[in-house]
C-alpha cells in the first residue's frame, strides 16, 4: 500500500501526538480528519538554535484523495520533502534443497548468535546454541558480586554470558550499517516484540539500557526454546572438529562431541582462548585495527548545557555527544560507547592470582533512565597492526593483554583513575587551563561513578607514549567543541581496550571460512561493531544457511 512520506516536519520537543497530526495536516493543506494513518519513520533532535529545541520528523501518512494531495504537496514543498513510498516487509529466504543431517550449532549467545538462532528457530531449523557463560539472571548476580568483592568468574562476567558484552552497556541500537535488506528494522522490531519501547523504531539514536536489554534477551531465549531450538549454558566450544576441510562437529567442555555440518562462530571479541584454538586448527585469520584509550567522565549537566543550552530539559533526559579528531600525526581519536547518566564498569574477564583478574579492562554502562550524575564515554585512539610489534594474526590480542596487565598492576586489580589535568601535565609538561578562567563544569569536585572498586593512580604508563600524546591532542580538540571537556578535573579510568575485536576470522562471499561449514559471525569474528550491527550479521548468516539447507526433520 502506498503512503505519502513527509520530511522535515518540526515541532517543539514538548509537543503532543495531536500537534504532530495537526502539523502534518497543515503541510498537506487538508483537514486533520482526512489523515487515515500516521506512522513516525524517524525522529531526530534539532538543537541548532538552542536553547530552543525541536524534533524533526519524517512521517508516512495515508490520506483521503491521496493522488491529488500528493501532487499539490510536491508542487509546494518539492520532491525532496514529499514522496510516495510503500510499506515493505522483510523477507527471509526460502529454504534450500540440501537436507541438514544435524542441527546448526551456534557458538556464543551475544547479539550475533542470539539473532542467528532466533531467526533459524523461527523458520524451523531448531538450532543448538552453546554459551560458555551463565543465563542472564545468574550472570547479573555474578557480575554484581564481582563488582562488590573483586572475585571474578572467568565464564560469567561482563564479557561472557547470555546476551554478550552488550548486555552490560548503554544498550545503544544505532548503527552506520546500510539497511537495504531491512535487517536493521527487523532487529528493532524483534526488540520491541520482546519488551523494548516502541519508540526505538523511529528514534535517531535508540537505546534501551542494560536493565531493559537483559529482560529482552531472556524473552528471546524463551521464544527460541518454544520454537524448538536448544540453548545450553556453561557449554564452551573447546574445539571445532573437521575432516578434509569440512566441519564435522564441535567438542563441548573438552569432553562431549556434538556432530554438525554447519557451525556459526559468534564468540564475541573477548574469547581469546577460542581464537588461539582456531589458529592452531589453521582457520584463516588476520590481525585487524581497533582502538584503545580511557573512559572519560564529566558532569552530565556539562554535557546537557553543551547539547541543549540548559542543564536539564523536561522530556529529553540526559544528552549524548559524539566527537572525532585527527591528530597531527594522522592518528584518529574519537568517542565510543557514550553513556549519558551512566557508570564506568570493571569489564575484566581474565583471572589472575587469588581468583581475581590479572588483566583489567573497563567499559561504560547506563540504565534505561540514564539518571546518573556523570556522563562517560570511551575516548579512544586508533591502533593498527603496525603498533602491535608483530605480524602474527593474534598480535592484537597480546597488545591488548599488555595494556590490561599494566592497568591491573597499577592498583592491584582496582580500577585506576586519574584527573585529566595531572595526566596531561605528565604527558606534555603542561597543565590544562580553564578556557575562560572559570571552573564552569565543577569537575574538580567530580567523583568517579564506578561499578567496582577504584583507586587514584598515574595512568600514563598504560598506553604507548604515542597514544598518550594522541589522546591529549584529541581531548584538547574536543574542548573546543564542548567547553570544559578537557577541564583539569575531568576523570579518566583505564583501560578501555575491548572496543572491538583485534582479529578477523576470514570468510568468503557465502559467509563461510575456508573450513567449509564454518560461518564466522558478528563482532568477535571481525564483522560488526555494536549490538545492532552484530544482530544484523547474525540474521544475514541465518539467511545464508537457510538458503542452502532444508531444516532437519525431527
Amino acid at each position: 500500500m502506498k503512503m505519502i512520506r513527509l520530511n522535515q516536519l518540526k515541532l517543539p520537543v514538548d509537543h503532543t501526538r495531536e500537534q504532530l497530526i495537526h502539523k502534518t495536516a497543515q503541510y498537506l493543506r487538508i483537514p486533520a480528519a482526512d489523515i487515515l494513518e500516521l506512522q513516525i519513520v524517524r525522529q531526530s533532535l534539532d538543537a541548532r538554535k538552542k536553547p530552543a529545541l525541536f524534533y524533526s520528523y519524517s512521517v508516512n501518512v495515508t490520506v483521503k484523495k491521496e493522488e491529488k494531495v500528493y501532487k499539490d504537496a510536491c508542487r509546494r514543498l518539492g520532491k525532496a520533502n514529499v514522496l510516495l513510498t510503500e510499506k515493505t516487509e522483510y523477507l527471509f529466504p526460502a529454504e534450500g534443497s540440501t537436507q541438514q543431517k544435524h542441527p546448526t550449532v551456534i557458538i556464543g549467545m551475544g547479539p550475533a548468535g542470539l539473532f542467528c538462532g532466533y531467526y533459524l528457530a523461527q523458520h524451523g531449523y531448531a538450532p543448538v546454541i552453546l554459551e560458555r557463560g551463565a543465563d542472564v539472571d545468574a550472570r547479573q548476580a555474578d557480575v554484581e558480586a564481582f563488582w562488590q568483592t573483586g572475585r571474578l568468574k572467568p565464564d560469567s562476567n561482563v564479557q561472557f554470558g547470555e546476551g554478550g558484552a552488550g548486555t552490560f552497556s548503554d544498550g545503544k541500537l544505532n548503527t552506520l550499517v546500510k539497511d537495504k535488506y531491512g535487517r536493521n528494522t527487523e532487529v528493532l522490531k524483534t526488540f520491541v516484540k520482546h519488551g523494548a519501547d516502541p519508540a526505538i523504531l523511529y528514534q535517531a539514536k535508540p537505546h534501551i539500557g542494560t536493565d531493559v536489554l537483559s529482560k529482552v534477551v531472556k524473552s528471546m531465549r524463551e521464544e527460541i526454546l518454544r520454537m524448538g531450538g536448544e540453548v545450553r549454558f556453561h557449554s564452551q566450544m573447546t574445539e571445532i572438529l573437521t575432516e578434509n576441510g569440512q566441519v564435522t562437529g564441535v567438542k563441548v567442555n573438552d569432553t562431549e562431541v556434538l556432530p554438525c555440518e554447519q557451525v556459526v562462530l559468534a564468540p564475541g571479541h573477548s574469547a581469546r582462548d577460542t581464537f588461539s584454538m582456531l589458529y592452531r586448527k589453521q582457520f584463516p585469520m588476520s590481525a585487524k585495527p581497533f582502538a584503545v584509550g580511557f573512559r572519560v567522565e564529566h558532569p552530565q549537566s556539562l554535557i546537557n548545557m553543551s547539547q541543549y543550552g540548559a542543564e536539564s530539559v523536561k522530556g529529553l533526559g540526559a544528552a549524548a555527544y559524539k566527537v572525532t579528531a585527527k591528530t597531527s600525526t594522522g592518528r584518529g581519536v574519537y568517542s565510543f560507547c557514550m553513556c549519558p547518566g551512566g557508570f564506568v564498569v570493571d569489564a575484566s574477564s581474565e583471572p589472575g592470582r587469588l581468583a581475581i583478574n590479572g588483566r583489567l579492562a573497563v567499559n561504560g554502562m547506563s540504565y534505561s533512565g540514564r539518571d546518573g550524575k556523570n556522563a562517560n564515554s570511551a575516548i579512544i585512539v586508533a591502533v593498527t597492526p603496525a603498533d602491535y610489534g608483530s605480524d602474527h594474526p593474534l598480535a592484537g590480542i597480546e597488545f591488548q593483554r599488555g595494556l590490561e596487565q599494566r592497568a591491573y598492576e597499577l592498583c592491584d586489580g582496582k580500577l585506576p583513575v586519574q584527573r585529566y589535568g595531572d595526566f596531561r601535565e605528565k604527558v606534555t609538561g603542561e597543565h590544562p587551563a580553564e578556557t575562560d578562567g572559570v571552573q564552569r563544569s565543577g569537575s574538580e569536585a567530580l567523583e568517579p561513578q564506578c561499578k567496582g572498586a577504584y583507586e587514584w593512580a598515574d595512568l600514563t604508563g598504560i598506553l604507548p607514549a604515542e597514544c598518550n600524546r594522541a589522546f591529549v591532542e584529541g581531548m584538547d580538540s574536543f574542548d573546543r567543541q564542548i567547553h570544559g571537556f578537557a577541564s583539569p578535573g575531568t576523570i579518566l579510568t583505564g583501560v578501555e581496550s575491548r572496543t572491538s575485536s583485534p582479529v578477523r576470522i576470514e570468510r568468503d562471499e557465502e559467509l563461510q571460512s575456508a573450513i567449509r561449514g564454518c560461518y564466522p559471525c558478528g563482532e568477535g569474528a571481525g564483522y560488526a561493531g555494536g549490538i545492532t550491527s552484530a544482530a544484523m550479521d547474525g540474521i544475514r548468516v541465518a539467511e545464508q544457511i537457510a538458503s542452502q539447507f532444508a531444516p532437519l526433520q525431527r
Side-chain angles (χ1 to χ4, degrees), residues 52-71:
L53 304 175
F54 299 89
Y55 279 132
S56 178
Y57 287 97
S58 291
V59 298
N60 287 344
V61 290
T62 304
V63 300
K64 297 177 181 178
K65 300 179 181 178
E66 178 185 273
E67 185 175 352
K68 179 179 181 299
V69 172
Y70 169 68
K71 287 181 179 179

Side-chain angles (χ1 to χ4, degrees), residues 115 173 187-196 200 213 216 531:
F115 272 80
L173 302 177
V187 170
L188 298 178
K189 284 182 176 179
T190 301
F191 279 135
V192 170
K193 178 182 177 181
H194 291 279
I200 67 172
L213 185 57
V216 168
I531 293 171

Side-chain angles (χ1 to χ4, degrees), residues 196-310:
D197 187 339
I200 67 172
L201 294 172
Y202 56 78
Q203 291 170 333
K205 297 179 180 179
H207 78 100
I208 56 178
T210 183
D211 47 338
V212 174
L213 185 57
S214 60
K215 295 180 176 66
V216 168
V217 165
K218 182 178 180 180
S219 177
M220 288 182 65
R221 179 239 303 169
E222 291 170 345
E223 183 74 356
I224 290 171
L225 297 175
R226 187 192 67 77
M227 294 186 294
E230 182 180 351
V231 177
R232 297 172 57 172
F233 296 110
H234 304 291
S235 298
Q236 182 180 356
M237 183 278 294
T238 49
E239 186 178 358
I240 296 180
L241 305 176
T242 63
E243 187 174 316
N244 298 323
Q246 167 68 45
V247 170
T248 60
V250 298
K251 189 173 285 189
V252 184
N253 295 335
D254 288 318
T255 55
E256 179 186 2
V257 172
L258 197 61
C260 65
E261 289 77 38
Q262 298 86 42
V263 58
V264 177
L265 189 59
H269 58 44
S270 294
R272 293 167 173 173
D273 49 1
T274 299
F275 298 139
S276 294
M277 178 274 294
L278 294 171
Y279 178 75
R280 291 194 302 271
K281 296 283 289 186
Q282 298 184 331
F283 280 70
M285 59 177 61
S286 57
K288 63 178 278 291
F290 66 113
V292 297
F294 304 106
R295 277 280 148 182
V296 177
E297 291 185 78
H298 299 94
Q300 184 60 54
S301 58
L302 169 74
I303 305 304
N304 290 353
M305 180 61 72
S306 169
Q307 304 301 85
Y308 297 158

Side-chain angles (χ1 to χ4, degrees), residues 87-119:
K87 285 186 176 180
T88 58
E89 296 295 331
Y90 167 78
L91 294 176
F92 196 78
E95 65 185 46
S97 57
T98 302
Q99 185 72 50
Q100 281 192 322
K101 297 178 182 178
H102 300 93
T104 299
V105 174
I106 298 171
I107 309 304
M109 205 174 177
L114 177 64
F115 272 80
C116 186
Y118 185 91
Y119 277 79

Side-chain angles (χ1 to χ4, degrees), residues 116-181:
C116 186
Y118 185 91
Y119 277 79
L120 285 176
Q122 190 176 59
H123 293 88
Y125 286 80
V128 177
I129 304 178
L130 303 180
E131 169 53 55
R132 69 194 294 167
D135 67 83
V136 73
D137 292 328
R139 182 187 180 198
Q140 284 180 311
D142 291 339
V143 168
E144 290 288 347
F146 167 59
W147 288 337
Q148 292 174 15
T149 67
R151 289 190 291 273
L152 175 71
K153 289 193 173 182
D155 290 328
S156 184
N157 48 58
V158 171
Q159 306 296 344
F160 298 132
E162 184 176 21
T167 302
F168 294 93
S169 69
D170 184 57
K172 279 178 285 294
L173 302 177
N174 51 301
T175 177
L176 298 177
V177 176
K178 293 182 179 179
D179 187 35
K180 64 180 180 178
Y181 298 105

